[in-house]
Amino acid sequence: MTEPPRPNDRDSIDELLRGIVERSASTGPDAPRERLPRRVRWALLGAGAAFVLLLFVPAVARRVTDWMWYREIGFERVFLTKIVAQWILGGIAGVIAFVIFYGNVRLALRSQTTALVASPSQPRRRPATLTERFVRVLALPGTGMLALLFALGAATEWRTLLQFLYRTPFGTADPIFGRDIGYYVFVLPLLEAILGYAVLAGMLTLACVWAVYSARGAIRRREWRVRLEPSARRHLTILGALLLVVFAAQIPLIAIPHLLYSVHSSLVGANYTDLHARLPAWWAVSGLMLFAGAYLLWRAWKGRLTRSAAIVVAGTVVLSLLIGRAYPASFHRLVVQPNELTREAPQIVRHIEATRAAWGLAGVERRELEGGSALTQRDIDANRATIANVRLWDREPLLQTFGQIQSIRTYYDFVAVDDDRYRIGGELRQVMLSARELNTAALPTRTFINEHLTFTHGMGITLGPSNQVTAEGLPVLFIQDLPPVSRIGVKVSRPQIYFGELSNDFILAPSRQREFDYPAGEGDEAVYSSYDGTAGVPVASFARRLLFAWRFGSLNILLSRDLTERTRIIYHRDVRERARRALPFLTLDRDPYLVIADDGTLKWILDAYTMTARYPYSQRATDGTNYMRNSVKIVIDAYNGDVQAYQTDDTDPIIRTLARIYPGLLRPIAQMPADLRAHVRYPEDLFRMQTALYATYHMSDPQTFYHREDQWQVPGSARGDQAEAFLRHMVMRLPGEQEPEFILMRPFTPRQKDNLAAWMVARNDGEQYGRLLVYQFPRQSLVFGPTQIVNRINQDTEVARQISLWDQRGSEVIRGELLVIPIEESLIYVQPLYLRAEGGRIPELKRVIVAHESRVVMEESLEAGLARLFGGEGQLLAQRDAAEPTPTRSTPPAAAIDEVVRRAVLHYERARAAQRADDWATYGEEMRLLGETLRQIQGEGDSRP
């Protein structure tokens, strides 16, 4: 049996389209109309309305509520600038794209075509097929939809366009082409976007035109060959030629400037091969592409498209590969590699200078230390402010302790602990504080009323000194409990925290439901309050309730009877999210910190950065960033949610450009209240990057840099977190300075070695804010580094015995971070030891290890450790007690007999500790010293009148 003939694919398509065309013809104006049943019509109408609602209403609700939020915080310009710029840019791009797409499609539809089924020498006209008629119907809506998608994509470049229009020069030229750095930061991105979308438009136009000619039969496939009619060939050739011209333009306008960002083994930026081989090669490739495009246009204009055109295109591709890739690779291997250091030395110098300038390292001040000098008791006494502020409480153990002793209720959480400094008793003291925030996920009953109307805010803070401990091993607290009680001059007058690090859901306040403020007394007693701040958007009208109900997917907003005319909906309460939405053009530091203002209100301060990945010759971070400035400080009120942005760097061209785009949005730093300026600090994220880079880029000599002869590294942390290792704020007196100050410090060791090479500080106070200093030890001196000190601590028999004894009793020993404390020309190391009972959750500070040079001691307090290490414990104890800020713990100047009594108690406690540790040698020595002290007491008593 013979198989019946199978229909041709084109015949199947024609039959399908014929049915569509006939159906559409039957419903024309002259055809009789058959009305659908009413139920069907209503069903179709309802389905269409539902589709519109699901597609457009959520977007409209979000956009309108966003506008209300921006207006509430006074940042309407941010919202409107984006909307207007997107619509204008998208509209222009869409119109241009539609003209290109539709114009070329119409041209393809109107061109004369002939059927190629007959002999090529005798072409004949053919009637339009159904496929062609279908393409004509789709031409307008299809190209319109394509132009709309093109416009949506182009609208995303609105900020690139605005930064180009309001650009500010850097005042520094690149070393190769002599262009201002602003060209690469503001102009080059716009050129990339324009040429990129030009290529995209060309590709889409080619695809559309090819599809139209295929539908009309002007392009046919015969086995492996594709035959084109003359009109189709001419049209497609012109489009291809124009694409070649665009590719040719991309090389000098985009590819060649990008040489200054290229990454090589020894530097970032244009190296010797780029400048002497790749640069001229790419100019030649650009010329070849331009010639090929012009040749194709000329041949298309003359109507003589022969095989020579294809040969020209193929030759251009081959020559481009040979010239653009093979030649530079051969040049690098044969010319550069044998003499790489000599060839690359000028480029390495440019790379070092650009990296320092881009990352704010050009002004680092270097100071040489003598090194090798042993500390004495006199040095310790001269640096009493540093010793009195040594941070004995690590953030993690302190956070756990706060959570156990100060949470008060299970629905309160401490999210993070921040370092800060306050004037207490006339002295600069380092403190650690944490906000007591509300965690709605921990509420015993999670209902709409509880989560959004009643439990609306956190309450108060916990604040204590960084170096004091109670007799039970717990932190001393200056501000504690609910409501917050202060034992110092710093008071909290507005403890409610509506905006914080944990506030991530909307609330409705005030309402008919009372807001829980804090627990009081025993049992279920509580104090309630009502929000009287300015935050939030009013929801008095039905329309607004409907909008927000749709926005947050909560029907209760619309139906609740607890809302009043004064009720506001408060959302975006996470301070990082709030700042990110208010200033979306900035990058935020990961650690916001809380400050107590002079009036007792709580303020969040966030550091914000301007960044770019387009600074020529600069070293990149892992995310591609190669320029970074902390140009803005953001202040958010914890009660009202007010957002204030202060410009801190007037020399940063990026922030100056943004200030021109958003006039009046950024305030001068001089307008920041003085009580808040006293608490600004150098941001950790920026300092982390600067120290990581300076470990290599402190080297200025290209030969030394090339061989990495003097490369440093940040010493590794025992906890394995290299990024966070030895990066902490502290109060100390810098060598050569007279007064203590708040600094951010990080040490360096030589690469693959453990001894200390230098330490870097960022100053935080007053006019010195932002200054970077590096204190470098002589290379010929040996200063023990953190790893060596840790090894000595581990080898110390007293420390090992005590830790083993604790472990045998089932307790968990937590080793705190090893602290590097600069004192004059030398260092001491301090490591706290915490003990957590088996099954317990409260770490207690039990011992402090102090090390200097090769000596390691462990005592119950830092003062005792220093006394044992350097002598003079009596004087240290007297000074410690005199520095106690609270009346209950401080003592007036004592007579000699009182001092000797303290020494007796100290020796007695040490003897008891040695007895518990079975350290009988230490026990005998302490008992001997106790006897001498008691005899001294007897002598002092006999000498009294």
Side-chain angles (χ1 to χ4, degrees), residues 691-740:
T691 52
L693 289 167
Y694 196 77
T696 300
Y697 291 89
H698 70 277
M699 297 179 285
S700 301
D701 180 68
Q703 182 173 352
T704 305
F705 183 91
Y706 180 83
H707 294 297
R708 300 295 197 268
E709 295 178 11
D710 191 27
Q711 186 174 8
W712 300 340
Q713 65 184 13
V714 176
S717 170
R719 303 174 184 178
D721 189 356
Q722 182 70 22
E724 299 297 328
F726 302 100
L727 179 66
R728 286 295 180 264
H729 288 90
M730 64 177 68
V731 172
M732 66 168 291
R733 183 178 68 84
L734 294 172
E737 302 293 335
Q738 300 299 319
E739 297 295 330

Side-chain angles (χ1 to χ4, degrees), residues 503-536:
S503 304
N504 53 6
D505 206 350
F506 72 90
I507 61 171
L508 294 154
S511 68
R512 291 187 176 90
Q513 292 288 334
R514 297 183 301 170
E515 295 179 55
F516 179 85
D517 216 24
Y518 58 89
E522 300 294 335
D524 298 332
E525 296 182 15
V527 175
Y528 293 88
S529 66
S530 180
Y531 183 71
D532 62 353
T534 59

Side-chain angles (χ1 to χ4, degrees), residues 181-201:
I181 302 299
Y183 173 85
Y184 300 92
V185 177
F186 303 122
V187 180
L188 188 58
L190 184 64
L191 292 177
E192 291 177 6
I194 292 174
L195 292 179
Y197 280 102
V199 171
L200 177 60

Side-chain angles (χ1 to χ4, degrees), residues 228-407:
L228 292 83
E229 288 193 3
S231 59
R233 185 184 300 116
R234 184 182 303 107
H235 194 170
L236 293 172
T237 300
I238 292 174
L239 292 177
L242 293 177
L243 270 177
L244 277 177
V245 172
V246 175
F247 287 142
Q250 281 184 322
I251 292 177
L253 295 178
I254 296 177
I256 289 178
H258 269 267
L259 290 176
L260 304 188
Y261 310 136
S262 54
V263 179
H264 306 284
S265 58
S266 57
L267 73 148
V268 173
N271 64 359
Y272 191 87
T273 301
D274 291 334
L275 298 177
H276 295 85
R278 189 165 284 111
L279 180 59
W282 282 7
W283 275 111
V285 170
S286 178
L288 279 174
M289 288 185 175
L290 190 61
F291 167 77
Y295 179 79
L296 290 178
L297 288 174
W298 177 72
R299 297 292 292 184
W301 179 262
K302 293 295 184 180
R304 301 174 181 176
L305 293 173
T306 60
R307 291 183 180 180
S308 61
I311 294 174
V312 168
V313 174
T316 300
V317 172
V318 173
L319 287 176
S320 297
L321 292 174
L322 290 175
I323 298 174
R325 293 183 178 273
Y327 170 65
S330 302
F331 183 88
H332 182 75
R333 178 64 187 88
L334 300 176
V335 177
V336 178
Q337 278 191 357
N339 305 283
E340 188 171 28
L341 178 57
T342 303
R343 303 284 190 185
E344 301 292 7
Q347 288 71 245
I348 291 176
V349 172
R350 296 166 184 161
H351 172 53
I352 295 173
E353 293 176 349
T355 300
R356 291 179 177 178
W359 289 97
L361 297 172
V364 174
E365 183 180 347
R366 301 179 67 164
R367 298 182 182 179
E368 299 291 333
L369 298 174
E370 295 180 2
S373 58
L375 293 176
T376 65
Q377 183 61 41
R378 178 175 298 177
D379 297 321
I380 299 297
D381 294 339
N383 290 269
R384 177 54 45 194
T386 301
I387 300 300
N389 287 284
V390 171
R391 201 200 65 211
L392 299 180
W393 285 102
D394 280 2
R395 292 180 179 177
E396 192 60 34
L398 187 60
L399 189 63
Q400 297 175 19
T401 303
F402 282 173
Q404 293 300 312
I405 67 176
Q406 280 294 302
S407 286

Side-chain angles (χ1 to χ4, degrees), residues 135-147:
V135 168
R136 289 181 183 276
V137 172
L138 289 181
L140 182 61
T143 54
M145 181 60 67
L146 200 61

Side-chain angles (χ1 to χ4, degrees), residues 408-473:
I408 312 297
R409 291 292 187 270
T410 57
Y411 40 78
Y412 286 128
D413 270 350
F414 292 95
V415 180
V417 176
D418 297 315
D419 298 276
D420 206 346
R421 71 284 199 194
Y422 286 83
R423 287 281 172 183
I424 300 175
E427 296 183 355
L428 187 65
R429 298 291 302 273
Q430 181 172 353
V431 299
M432 307 191 76
L433 70 158
S434 184
R436 186 183 292 104
E437 298 196 49
L438 180 71
N439 182 6
T440 55
L443 290 174
T445 305
R446 299 188 63 184
T447 63
F448 175 79
I449 292 178
N450 277 350
E451 292 188 38
H452 303 290
L453 302 180
T454 301
F455 292 90
T456 57
H457 57 273
M459 187 65 179
I461 65 169
T462 297
L463 180 148
S466 62
N467 67 325
Q468 289 183 257
V469 61
T470 66
E472 296 81 14

Side-chain angles (χ1 to χ4, degrees), residues 754-775:
D754 295 331
N755 59 288
L756 209 64
W759 47 281
M760 187 174 186
V761 300
R763 306 177 77 170
N764 289 259
D765 293 337
E767 298 298 327
Q768 303 295 337
Y769 176 84
R771 289 187 58 193
L772 301 178
L773 289 82
V774 170
Y775 294 88

